[in-house]
Amino acid sequence: MGAARSASKRTGPLGYATYGLLRGAMMAPQIAGPANALSLSRRLGRAFGGMPFNRKRIDRAVESLRFVLPDADEGTRRELALQSYEHLAMLAVEVAFLPRVLTEDSWTRHVDVGDVGRALDALTGDRPAILITGHSGNWEAMGYTLALLGVRLHAIYRPLDLKPLDRWIRRTRERRGLELVDKFGAVHAVPRLLQDKQAVAFVADQNAGDRGVFVPFFGRLTSTYKSIGLMALKHNAVIVSGGAHRVGWDATDEERALGRRVGENNLRFRVTVDDVFGPEEYLAQPDPLFYLTARYRRSLENLVLAEPTQYLWMHRIWKSRPRHERLNKPFPDHLRRKLLELPWMDEAGVDRIVAQSDADRAFLTERGIDRMP
């Protein structure tokens, strides 16, 4: 539910020419059909991921996967890293198809919606709500589907610098009922929306820098946005976390038997709601901000584990480090207590987080750096 920043800032004749070229390029997948376009993009993504100049990113992804799949061998983790590049390339093609695929008339053939009743009640009810998703699967498909289900969803996004393309992105999304909120004005817009008891959506698994809330993510402290939790606390918002994953892009054997051709528009997603919780739960905790941030991070873990091949492992997930690691100080007792207060944590789990933090602290100190490379 975001848009990547374009490298170009031109909005004059050259900007419109660039826009025309990009729109023309986006027509190629439409002509080829989803099955052919996705198959080709998958091969191109894998080839790009395996290029020598990309080795550093692949190595970083393999290292990240060590925390997620500690029992997997190097070859398995490297294969998942390459599949992450396959997914990224396929995701770009999917975005081109979504306006055709997810319409009022056809979306039910392309989306498998599971048990989302509680989430819909939260997102359309009389209380403010915050939808959390991550860079797992296709977050754009998640937003489209909820909008088609009647959710008035306000998605925080980073506008494109190429203004004609940005306007097209906005028109396309808003035709489906998904309202986009400029990231750079969100600090003022989001509180007003929550005050009006609206639903606001964030892609919230990015590294939040040194001032984020450091909570567990696959057994390692990771910087997570503090602002989301603070807004939830101020407005007593309900938290909903979920995602959408690709489950197919060509006709199944059963569909072919019924006459559906290979290469038709058979792109399919599964929408999953992993968790829904409100102020009744997080305000009862000793540290509500830490609890709700850790809880939605834990939910994002579940979404990643559901389809590990559809996560962007090349991201620097654990780049920023907590203050005690950067200053080469022992693990704080107050942070250990906070971790033990999380209902799903036990002594053994906290001990593993502390041991990893100690190892990260030693790594930073030995190299004289304050963040992970």
Side-chain angles (χ1 to χ4, degrees), residues 115-116 118-119 131-133 142 239-245 271-277 294-306:
D115 184 11
V116 298
R118 189 178 172 206
L131 172 68
I132 302 290
T133 191
M142 175 77 170
I239 307 293
V240 178
S241 60
H245 294 98
V271 170
T272 302
V273 173
D274 183 76
D275 197 10
V276 181
F277 63 100
R295 181 161 171 175
Y296 79 65
R297 262 293 183 181
R298 180 172 178 254
S299 181
L300 293 178
E301 281 188 19
N302 295 334
L303 293 171
V304 171
L305 290 173

Side-chain angles (χ1 to χ4, degrees), residues 107 120 123-124 143-153 176-177:
W107 74 268
L120 290 178
L123 294 170
T124 60
Y144 268 64
T145 301
L146 289 174
L148 287 164
L149 286 170
V151 178
R152 187 184 178 193
L153 195 62
R176 299 289 177 262

Side-chain angles (χ1 to χ4, degrees), residues 45-337:
R46 187 180 187 89
F48 179 88
M51 290 290 184
F53 63 77
N54 199 51
R55 183 172 300 168
K56 183 177 179 180
R57 292 187 181 89
I58 286 290
D59 290 344
R60 182 191 302 141
V62 171
E63 173 63 14
S64 295
L65 280 156
R66 181 172 65 84
F67 298 96
V68 183
L69 302 172
D71 297 327
D73 58 31
E74 175 84 3
T76 299
R77 294 199 295 267
R78 190 162 294 275
E79 174 62 23
L80 275 173
L82 288 171
Q83 289 176 351
S84 178
Y85 277 91
E86 292 178 359
H87 167 64
L88 180 60
M90 295 172 76
L91 180 65
V93 172
E94 287 172 357
V95 169
F97 277 101
L98 285 181
R100 260 176 65 184
V101 171
L102 301 185
T103 68
E104 291 83 353
D105 297 325
S106 65
W107 74 268
T108 54
R109 186 164 74 82
H110 297 282
V111 182
D112 173 22
V113 178
D115 184 11
V116 298
R118 189 178 172 206
L120 290 178
D121 288 342
L123 294 170
T124 60
D126 59 357
R127 294 195 293 177
I130 295 176
L131 172 68
I132 302 290
T133 191
H135 289 95
S136 176
N138 189 321
W139 51 95
E140 295 276 358
M142 175 77 170
Y144 268 64
T145 301
L146 289 174
L148 287 164
L149 286 170
V151 178
R152 187 184 178 193
L153 195 62
H154 303 266
I156 310 306
Y157 93 118
R158 176 180 284 188
L160 294 172
D161 290 330
L162 191 59
K163 299 303 181 186
L165 188 60
D166 184 66
R167 285 196 293 270
W168 177 78
I169 290 282
R170 279 183 171 273
R171 287 198 304 269
T172 302
R173 303 301 186 270
E174 292 174 355
R175 276 204 306 269
R176 299 289 177 262
L178 183 63
E179 300 183 34
L180 301 183
V181 178
D182 189 327
K183 174 181 178 179
F184 302 106
V187 66
H188 301 295
V190 171
R192 288 197 297 268
L193 291 168
L194 293 175
Q195 188 173 353
D196 291 340
K197 300 180 180 180
Q198 300 293 316
V200 181
F202 294 88
V203 181
D205 61 344
Q206 300 97 323
N207 176 72
D210 294 343
R211 296 184 180 182
V213 181
F214 284 87
V215 296
F217 189 59
F218 291 110
R220 190 183 191 187
L221 294 175
T222 189
S223 179
T224 307
Y225 289 120
K226 183 184 295 184
S227 57
I228 295 174
L230 290 174
M231 285 186 288
L233 289 171
K234 181 177 180 179
H235 298 280
N236 287 335
V238 180
I239 307 293
V240 178
S241 60
H245 294 98
R246 178 192 322 109
V247 294
W249 66 86
D250 205 351
T252 63
D253 291 341
E254 293 80 5
E255 289 170 332
R256 291 171 188 170
L258 294 173
R260 188 166 294 162
R261 298 191 307 275
V262 176
E264 284 188 351
N265 202 337
N266 300 305
L267 187 58
R268 295 185 297 277
F269 301 96
R270 177 175 59 248
V271 170
T272 302
V273 173
D274 183 76
D275 197 10
V276 181
F277 63 100
E280 302 83 1
E281 293 173 80
Y282 58 73
L283 291 178
Q285 302 300 318
D287 188 332
L289 176 62
F290 189 82
Y291 171 86
L292 74 85
T293 306
R295 181 161 171 175
Y296 79 65
R297 262 293 183 181
R298 180 172 178 254
S299 181
L300 293 178
E301 281 188 19
N302 295 334
L303 293 171
V304 171
L305 290 173
E307 291 290 345
T309 62
Q310 295 184 35
Y311 190 65
L312 303 186
W313 295 110
M314 68 287 292
H315 281 181
R316 297 173 69 183
I317 307 165
W318 294 285
K319 171 184 164 183
S320 296
R321 306 311 308 147
R323 187 171 184 270
H324 72 272
E325 292 182 14
R326 290 182 277 117
L327 298 180
N328 192 23
K329 293 185 176 182
F331 198 93
D333 290 338
H334 72 88
L335 181 53
R336 184 183 180 90
R337 285 195 300 271

